[in-house]
Amino acid sequence: MQDSGFLPRLLEALGPDVVTTDAQAIAPWLSDWRGIYRGDAQAVVRPRNTDEVARCLALCQQWRVPVVPRGGNTGLCGGATPDDRPANVVLSLDRMNAIRSVDTIANTMVAEAGCILGNLRRAAHDADRQLPLSLAAEDSCQIGGNLATNAGGVNVVRYGMARELVLGLEAVLPDGEVFHGLRTLRKDNTGYDLKQLLIGSEGTLGVITAVALRLLPRTDQRAVVLAAVESPQQALQLFSLLYSRCGARLQAFEFFTGPCLDLVLTHAEGVQAPFADRHPAYVLVELADTTDEAGLNSLLEATIGDALEQGLCLDAAVSASLSQVEAMWKLREEISEAQRADGPHLKHDISLPIESIPVFMERMAARLRQLDAAIRPFVFGHFGDGNLHYNLSRPAGAPQDWATTHGEAVTAEVLDEVMRHGGSISAEHGIGQLKREYFHRYKDPLELRLMVGIKRLLDPAGIMNPGKLL
Amino acid sequence: MQDSGFLPRLLEALGPDVVTTDAQAIAPWLSDWRGIYRGDAQAVVRPRNTDEVARCLALCQQWRVPVVPRGGNTGLCGGATPDDRPANVVLSLDRMNAIRSVDTIANTMVAEAGCILGNLRRAAHDADRQLPLSLAAEDSCQIGGNLATNAGGVNVVRYGMARELVLGLEAVLPDGEVFHGLRTLRKDNTGYDLKQLLIGSEGTLGVITAVALRLLPRTDQRAVVLAAVESPQQALQLFSLLYSRCGARLQAFEFFTGPCLDLVLTHAEGVQAPFADRHPAYVLVELADTTDEAGLNSLLEATIGDALEQGLCLDAAVSASLSQVEAMWKLREEISEAQRADGPHLKHDISLPIESIPVFMERMAARLRQLDAAIRPFVFGHFGDGNLHYNLSRPAGAPQDWATTHGEAVTAEVLDEVMRHGGSISAEHGIGQLKREYFHRYKDPLELRLMVGIKRLLDPAGIMNPGKLL
């Protein structure tokens, strides 16, 4: 603890309803949802408004107390879990969960940082608009965390990352000053775009307290195809054809290998093999549009027909109903859970220049064979964005703690190969604690230096989320 | 001049082909295209590659020589015109005009900063892709300048500002160090997104030397409607209907008042009144799609039919051919030129929360009437983005130099009203020299302070484009 005077002051400023110091009550806030990271803290603070966030940060800065902002705790890199310093304060935004406005003229939504993403998506839908940020954790993650980590998900190929949806944001800087950037303007060329620094900064520069988001027209008409492909190369050609032909309708282009499907068929309930034959890999394509369901279906059928004719896929099943759409998506969505059921594994959220995916896949497979031919790769992801979840499971027969004992060596191989192709060691999950060492190893020294300079500018006392990212 | 030793060193480093010091040869580089700003310089440097830019900047920093980066010189705020210091060096990117790659698998384009935007658009088109950044100056502006000013244009309602199209960029920082951020990755969550600082920084932080852009599917099918509306309020309702119904196809939603049309009909060649009656205002809507021209036309006709029925517009003409599309666009595009022909005037590139446009227009008109009832407003712009070009022409009978003598008082009124509605004093043109005073007056002090901090971090010697923006 920094000083015995801090906690009384914090309690005095915010009250016992906002500040929790009881060890038992704090315990659940000290680990991530996967149970991989665990830390310590002297208090959990759950402010009800921006002013309380500001008062908390001002005190923390004054007493040099480290602050760990926390959203829905769905991150995969330990970015919202405190480190082992007992002085930490966990600052949860969960009580700041009001939707301040949904505007269907301006097509904007203003929401507090603690709003659950799924609730915002539903609020937009109810207002005949769409918030297109969509990801597996959407019913527990919070929008503040989504922006702090620049979340991705399944619709990035059409709508971009979370960053692209942000019109403005409000944040509290480490000294307690409020950044009043909650503008809904579409155009505002007045100086450096400061909000961009906070987006993706993983809580190291300040605390996002509210956001102004763009809303898009709803795309209720959906058509999905599941296509079997013989290789990533073929998936690439199929992607190119669909991109040219279907234009803005292309809402998702997902990829998974045959072993991923096998795993889902083994572990998930209520799923069926989509084809009589097993295939090396699959892509799941979704087209979506505001209108004209018939046109959408016939466009997808015609395009896939041409793809089959041109030999750009081995087989294909086009959805004929919403339940088929959902059944196809379930095959993709159950992969993570099925892999969890299969046992501990190593996750690698990587991205590549999309045209490099085939050669990366080949070379990586060769490197893994050399390392240990029995490692079981389960590769899937947002292929249309060049984003693979290159996950590796324990070789059959290896000890249960394989991921722990071999993780570092294996991950080093994967990330080294990623960097050879000009890829990124973190596509959408961020750095947090998990990838910090690799981040420092691979990031350009000039960029690192600038980031450190920006960190010092915004957080001179260094209280914001220490041990994460930088 | 800072020191008599600088120029010889610069010439030695880059040669006389790159460095021009002859006063007569320099003269054309000292003013903006409208002839409003004029400055001084000791040399014009026209590097052929990034390394030459780096060597130039390193020397300038060493000798504390101010550098004014210059693209196509099409800006409207004097951002690329040197101030009156004879020590200035104008750094033109015009020779760095190679397209390094057009990739139709990754859907990216990598181009040097001096490439003319129109050339990039055509290169994308030829490769069956689209670079959707489109603006009046596209055949003379350069992509480096477009990014340095975060350019807007007519397709922002669909594709966003220039910023949204940037995947990566290369830049030279003031000390001559090269920022190697020319990545084409769609996803890269590894730390603060530093390129966002350079985008829109108007040459005050460094020199953008190359850019990696997203390419979109082509949207060759186009359908346009010109609708007469009785008020901005009606335009707003029409916008809302089209946004809901037409979704991603809505590519442009432009607005202009009756007096703008009158001006075009007076001054432009080969234009015709679109309707038998005169109307208070007009909107020009373009839908565009990759495919299905018939579907596009019938969607637009049905939507406009409903709008007429619901009383959301007074009259409407739907394009039946490409030449009609072009004729309708000409009415909008000729406004600036017609206003120039009409004489000196005050330009205000403002943006507003779109739902505030009607009340802003009303109140602003009242304020102008109070100021001088004979001022002639010509209001047009990218209504769908909340962006108005709120231009004001000399009252009939006022002296020719009215814009000069009355400009400051009138502009202060306009910008004051803009700020009352939470708008922006610069939607897409930037700050440059023109709006610097207002920028400092209206910008939040915290934001200004952070911007100054970032400026000091990247440009500690303060050599980059002094007198602009900050």
Side-chain angles (χ1 to χ4, degrees), chain B residues 102-386:
Chain B
V102 178
D103 183 334
T104 57
I105 302 274
N107 302 302
T108 58
M109 169 184 273
V110 177
E112 293 179 353
C115 289
I116 303 287
L117 174 59
N119 293 342
L120 299 185
R121 285 174 52 80
R122 283 181 283 274
H125 188 88
D126 292 346
D128 191 27
R129 291 293 181 269
Q130 178 187 197
L131 177 65
L133 186 65
S134 176
L135 40 94
E138 65 191 48
D139 281 321
S140 30
C141 65
Q142 295 170 14
I143 192 69
N146 294 145
L147 298 201
T149 58
N150 188 26
V154 293
N155 292 341
V156 173
V157 72
R158 178 166 185 171
Y159 298 104
M161 303 288 279
R163 182 185 302 279
E164 265 80 35
L165 300 172
V166 182
L167 293 170
L169 52 80
E170 178 191 89
V172 181
L173 300 188
D175 60 2
E177 207 167 351
V178 179
F179 174 84
H180 294 287
L182 208 53
R183 291 180 280 265
T184 56
L185 298 173
R186 300 286 162 154
K187 291 180 165 180
D188 181 21
N189 269 351
T190 54
Y192 312 153
D193 193 355
L194 299 168
K195 69 174 179 292
Q196 303 291 350
L197 286 177
L198 288 155
I199 300 169
S201 66
E202 304 188 24
T204 62
L205 297 178
V207 178
I208 294 171
T209 50
V211 307
L213 301 168
R214 293 198 296 139
L215 297 182
L216 281 292
R218 263 167 63 170
T219 51
D220 292 349
Q221 313 306 329
R222 299 164 71 190
V224 170
V225 65
L226 187 70
V229 291
E230 69 185 9
S231 65
Q233 181 61 38
Q234 211 176 39
L236 206 55
Q237 292 172 305
L238 192 56
F239 175 67
S240 192
L241 179 75
L242 280 151
Y243 194 83
S244 292
R245 291 274 289 271
C246 305
R249 295 168 184 82
L250 184 60
Q251 186 137 312
F253 191 99
E254 299 286 307
F255 172 89
F256 48 98
T257 60
C260 291
L261 179 61
D262 295 342
L263 208 62
V264 168
L265 296 175
T266 305
H267 292 284
E269 308 256 316
V271 288
Q272 282 186 358
F275 303 107
D277 296 327
R278 296 179 73 254
H279 295 287
Y282 304 88
V283 298
L284 188 154
V285 179
E286 176 165 322
L287 303 189
D289 200 350
T290 307
T291 183
D292 192 13
E293 188 180 7
L296 197 70
N297 284 319
S298 63
L299 177 64
L300 186 58
E301 276 162 25
T303 311
I304 290 298
D306 289 353
L308 281 163
E309 225 167 74
Q310 294 171 37
L312 303 186
C313 59
L314 302 171
D315 202 350
V318 178
S319 65
S321 66
L322 188 60
S323 68
Q324 286 187 4
V325 165
E326 282 164 2
M328 287 176 181
W329 267 108
K330 194 171 160 70
L331 297 176
R332 163 66 184 84
E333 284 163 349
E334 290 285 343
I335 296 172
S336 285
E337 199 48 45
Q339 200 174 16
R340 195 140 86 131
D342 180 69
H345 55 277
L346 298 167
K347 286 186 192 293
H348 303 103
D349 166 48
I350 59 172
S351 86
L352 295 153
I354 183 172
E355 69 276 22
S356 308
I357 291 180
V359 61
F360 167 84
M361 293 275 282
E362 236 172 72
R363 294 207 188 141
M364 198 62 242
R367 285 179 79 156
L368 288 178
R369 275 195 302 273
Q370 207 148 27
L371 204 66
D372 181 345
I375 291 177
R376 295 173 300 140
F378 294 99
V379 183
F380 61 100
H382 317 301
F383 191 97
D385 315 314

Side-chain angles (χ1 to χ4, degrees), chain A residues 103-107 128-129 149-153 156 158 161 163-164 173 175 177-181 183-194 196-197 199-202 204-205 214-218 236-237 239-240 243-249 289-292 299 351-355 382 384-387 422-431 439 443-444 446-455 457-458 469-470, chain B residues 103-107 128-129 149-153 156 158 161 163-164 173 175 177-181 183-194 196-197 199-202 204-205 214-218 236-237 239-240 243-249 289-292 299 351-355 382 384-387 422-431 439 443-444 446-455 457-458 469-470:
Chain A
D103 184 334
T104 57
I105 303 274
N107 301 304
D128 192 27
R129 291 293 181 269
T149 58
N150 188 28
V156 173
R158 178 165 186 172
M161 302 287 280
R163 182 185 303 280
E164 266 79 36
L173 299 187
D175 60 1
E177 207 166 351
V178 179
F179 174 84
H180 293 288
R183 292 181 279 266
T184 57
L185 298 173
R186 299 286 163 154
K187 292 180 164 179
D188 181 21
N189 269 350
T190 55
Y192 313 152
D193 193 354
L194 299 169
Q196 303 291 352
L197 286 178
I199 300 169
S201 66
E202 305 189 23
T204 62
L205 297 177
R214 293 198 296 139
L215 297 182
L216 281 292
R218 263 165 63 168
L236 206 55
Q237 292 172 307
F239 175 67
S240 192
Y243 194 82
S244 292
R245 292 275 290 273
C246 305
R249 295 168 184 83
D289 200 351
T290 306
T291 182
D292 193 13
L299 176 63
S351 87
L352 295 153
I354 183 172
E355 69 277 21
H382 316 301
D385 314 314
N387 180 189
S424 170
I425 63 166
S426 182
E428 57 176 18
H429 295 171
I431 302 296
F439 171 66
K443 202 71 184 174
D444 182 281
L446 170 62
E447 290 189 52
L448 267 182
R449 209 172 66 228
L450 291 175
M451 289 185 203
V452 168
I454 287 165
K455 169 76 175 173
L457 178 68
L458 273 84
L469 187 58
L470 280 174
Chain B
D103 183 334
T104 57
I105 302 274
N107 302 302
D128 191 27
R129 291 293 181 269
T149 58
N150 188 26
V156 173
R158 178 166 185 171
M161 303 288 279
R163 182 185 302 279
E164 265 80 35
L173 300 188
D175 60 2
E177 207 167 351
V178 179
F179 174 84
H180 294 287
R183 291 180 280 265
T184 56
L185 298 173
R186 300 286 162 154
K187 291 180 165 180
D188 181 21
N189 269 351
T190 54
Y192 312 153
D193 193 355
L194 299 168
Q196 303 291 350
L197 286 177
I199 300 169
S201 66
E202 304 188 24
T204 62
L205 297 178
R214 293 198 296 139
L215 297 182
L216 281 292
R218 263 167 63 170
L236 206 55
Q237 292 172 305
F239 175 67
S240 192
Y243 194 83
S244 292
R245 291 274 289 271
C246 305
R249 295 168 184 82
D289 200 350
T290 307
T291 183
D292 192 13
L299 177 64
S351 86
L352 295 153
I354 183 172
E355 69 276 22
H382 317 301
D385 315 314
N387 179 190
S424 171
I425 63 166
S426 182
E428 56 177 20
H429 294 173
I431 302 296
F439 171 65
K443 201 72 184 175
D444 182 280
L446 171 61
E447 291 190 52
L448 267 182
R449 209 173 67 226
L450 291 175
M451 288 185 203
V452 168
I454 287 165
K455 168 78 174 170
L457 178 69
L458 273 85
L469 187 58
L470 280 175

